[in-house]
Amino acid sequence: MNPTPAIVPLAAVTIDAVELVRVDLPLVRPFTTSFGRQTRRETLLVRVRTPEADGWGEIVTPAAPVYSEEFTAGAALVLRDHLVPWLLAPGSEVTAEDVGTRLARAHGHRMAKAALEVAVMDAQLRTAGVALADHLGAVVDRVPAGVSVGIPDGGIPELLEQVAGYLDEGYLRVKAKVQPGFDVAPMTALREHVGTGVALQVDGNAGYHPDDPAHVRALDGLDELGLVMIEQPFGTDRIRDHARHAARWRTPVCLDESIHDATRARDAVESGAAGIVNIKLGRVGGLLESVRIRDTCRARGVPVWCGGMLETGVGRAANVALAALDGFRFPGDTSASNRYWAEDVTEPFVLEGGYVAVPRSPGIGRTPRETWVAEAAIERIDRHR
Ligand code: OSB
Ligand code: MG
């Protein structure tokens, strides 16, 4: 394994304007988790305009504040009225590192901040002619792809059918969403259907209550199924509850919603709440914090992997570069574009033998098609206003 090179500083860019580009895309199939059923993605891309190059980032918020406090309309508002003016005010020459420092006085809003950071880094990288993966120190050219399977409208038969289809396509592991009332029976059926050779894991999306004996019994039942991990069974702030139950289970607990930053990752790992950490660059405020979480976990022998938020090609490009770093150990939620969209907004990501290729062209390596951008509603925040 190559040692990870330090991130080499890139030249600052001068931002002329920041644009918010509206995304409203139907999913190829509904996606249901313990926090609700989604049939489309309603989100925003951020375009940072500089004289040399435009940079792109994706705001990974859902339309409603159901995964965390963040939601798309709130992100648009905080960017327009607060974050973008703060980024542009003290002088328009910025680096990706400056995004974090200039926006630090805003509490939360990590998904909004992350999109700006990625867009600025993308503009810097395109100007320098360097690929994001190379800049971050990627150690592989392709990343193993998992697939995240929602709770199907059609119950167990549809679950088995969907999973069989994804395995035929070549996905290397299956993450099934569970919730109280849809857990031990469907996962037992799924395990019997796919056999013990398939890497299977579950994600509770914070839907279980540690003080409800029926919920704990169900999780104890899942612990018998030889799963690779159980992701975020309890609420976001329930670090101690995760630690208490993780100590009893043989299946590692992976935290997603709970991990906001590297400090929280350290506390979760050191308390035994997380044996594995899911890194989503939106949830943690950007790529730079994602790398710090990787560092924190790697130093403590804890593997990480790259989660997803049903991204378009823009967000997926950054995810796939991140997933190519040392320390990322499991197939991620880095599925191919066609698992989500009939037509992606960028050149699609495709599955090749269970892997997705890491983009190697300058910047994030994907750009939304001009024909698509022209039709998408745009709000522009100029430097001089
Ligand atoms: O918990 O990992 C999650 C999607 C939206 C919100 C939360 C989650 C998810 C997924 C989808 O599981 C992963 C993907 O992008 O394929
Ligand atoms: Mg999750």
Side-chain angles (χ1 to χ4, degrees):
M1 187 74 56
N2 302 330
T4 308
I7 295 182
V8 178
L10 295 163
V13 291
T14 303
I15 304 178
D16 291 322
V18 175
E19 294 171 355
L20 304 181
V21 178
R22 210 158 285 283
V23 174
D24 184 5
L25 278 183
L27 288 160
V28 293
R29 56 167 49 132
F31 187 70
T32 301
T33 68
S34 64
F35 60 73
R37 184 175 187 272
Q38 276 179 276
T39 57
R40 49 199 315 115
R41 280 290 287 133
E42 295 169 77
T43 188
L44 299 161
L45 303 184
V46 168
R47 172 156 60 177
V48 163
R49 289 203 175 263
T50 81
E52 278 73 35
D54 290 352
W56 288 93
E58 179 164 344
I59 304 176
V60 301
T61 48
V66 288
Y67 166 80
S68 68
E69 296 89 337
E70 291 193 81
F71 62 107
T72 301
L77 191 73
V78 79
L79 281 162
R80 189 193 67 192
D81 291 352
H82 304 286
L83 305 184
V84 172
W86 293 357
L87 182 65
L88 300 185
S92 51
E93 283 255 296
V94 292
T95 64
E97 288 75 12
D98 295 332
V99 177
T101 51
R102 290 190 187 191
L103 306 185
R105 67 196 162 101
H107 290 248
H109 295 288
R110 292 181 178 84
M111 295 177 185
K113 291 173 178 174
L116 270 183
E117 187 211 71
V118 172
V120 169
M121 194 181 286
D122 185 37
Q124 290 179 281
L125 289 164
R126 288 183 202 242
T127 302
V130 175
L132 174 62
D134 294 319
H135 178 61
L136 296 177
V139 293
V140 291
D141 291 326
R142 56 179 201 159
V143 296
V147 61
S148 176
V149 183
I151 297 163
D153 295 344
I156 294 175
E158 191 184 341
L159 175 71
L160 303 186
E161 187 189 308
Q162 281 190 22
V163 168
Y166 290 132
L167 292 175
D168 280 349
E169 287 182 58
Y171 285 104
L172 298 172
R173 70 87 169 120
V174 171
K175 164 171 130 178
K177 296 293 185 175
V178 290
Q179 67 181 8
F182 190 84
D183 42 39
V184 180
M187 293 312 125
T188 302
L190 182 56
R191 176 55 91 199
E192 277 169 13
H193 191 67
V194 300
T196 50
V198 170
L200 197 60
Q201 61 197 61
V202 294
D203 186 355
N205 281 112
Y208 290 81
H209 201 292
D211 301 331
D212 184 323
H215 288 194
V216 171
R217 262 198 309 279
L219 294 167
D220 289 352
L222 293 173
D223 187 38
E224 303 295 319
L225 297 176
L227 304 173
V228 179
M229 65 188 86
I230 299 178
E231 184 174 338
Q232 195 75 42
F234 305 128
T236 300
D237 294 323
R238 296 212 170 249
I239 297 294
R240 289 173 65 98
D241 294 292
H242 280 109
R244 182 159 55 90
H245 290 285
R248 299 190 303 112
W249 294 329
R250 73 196 77 179
T251 313
V253 169
C254 168
L255 292 184
D256 172 355
E257 283 89 332
S258 293
I259 308 298
H260 303 133
D261 58 22
T263 304
R264 201 61 182 298
R266 182 202 62 193
D267 293 351
V269 164
E270 291 189 349
S271 68
I276 300 171
V277 170
N278 170 325
I279 300 185
K280 294 179 180 171
L281 69 94
R283 194 192 68 231
V284 306
L287 282 163
L288 298 170
E289 191 68 15
S290 297
V291 172
R292 285 191 283 268
I293 294 174
R294 186 283 309 264
D295 293 343
T296 296
C297 292
R298 191 172 55 176
R300 289 163 178 78
V302 166
V304 301
W305 59 279
C306 183
M309 292 291 286
L310 312 173
E311 286 88 348
T312 75
V314 171
R316 192 164 308 282
N319 288 352
V320 168
L322 182 65
L325 302 192
D326 181 45
F328 282 72
R329 291 288 161 72
F330 300 94
D333 287 338
T334 46
S335 311
S337 295
N338 70 359
R339 179 259 173 268
Y340 311 90
W341 324 115
E343 194 181 24
D344 207 332
V345 306
T346 65
E347 182 197 325
F349 282 86
V350 295
L351 199 64
E352 290 168 272
Y355 288 76
V356 169
V358 178
R360 289 286 170 174
S361 43
I364 62 172
R366 286 290 191 284
T367 307
R369 283 175 279 111
E370 262 316 316
T371 48
W372 177 82
V373 177
E375 287 167 21
I378 286 177
E379 173 154 22
R380 181 178 168 119
I381 303 133
D382 281 284
R383 173 150 51 105
H384 311 289
R385 215 170 58 160

